[in-house]
Amino acid sequence: MLEITDNTVVITKDDGTEDLWKIYFYYHNPDRNKDFFFLFKEEDPDSLIVMASKDHETLEDVTPEELEEAQEMLNTYEDDPEIQEIK
């Protein structure tokens, strides 16, 4: 189960434990009908991972093709001067 609150993703595992991740960046890809989330652990900000969701209830691994696309989106997010102004 996935819950998103205030840029924090709470993932409830099958055993009932919760795992907290912070959202660095996310975007929606209408062609894939998925949202892609760049997540990191607050205690380890360098631990950036990419996960996808079709239903905002579960996360799934991304394919190599999706990962390449996500990396391009992240580069744009980090390098675009207009985006930097509104961060």
Side-chain angles (χ1 to χ4, degrees):
M1 179 94 183
L2 172 69
E3 180 184 332
I4 301 172
T5 307
D6 297 328
N7 284 336
T8 300
V9 174
V10 180
I11 301 169
T12 304
K13 298 178 182 178
D14 291 338
D15 65 2
T17 59
E18 293 183 342
D19 202 13
L20 300 176
W21 292 81
K22 300 298 277 183
I23 299 172
Y24 176 66
F25 171 72
Y26 78 94
Y27 69 95
H28 178 75
N29 182 314
D31 295 332
R32 297 183 191 278
N33 196 29
K34 290 183 181 181
D35 292 319
F36 291 86
F37 295 90
F38 292 84
L39 306 172
F40 67 95
K41 291 286 197 171
E42 198 162 23
E43 61 274 8
D44 184 13
D46 293 330
S47 64
L48 194 63
I49 64 169
V50 181
M51 300 294 288
S53 179
K54 292 181 184 177
D55 58 10
H56 278 248
E57 292 182 16
T58 58
L59 288 174
E60 59 187 45
D61 292 329
V62 296
T63 67
E65 181 181 323
E66 291 170 334
L67 182 59
E68 186 175 317
E69 172 190 293
Q71 183 63 51
E72 290 175 17
M73 291 297 290
L74 179 62
N75 291 344
T76 299
Y77 175 75
E78 290 183 331
D79 296 338
D80 188 308
E82 291 181 19
I83 293 173
Q84 295 307 312
E85 288 179 16
I86 61 174
K87 275 186 175 179

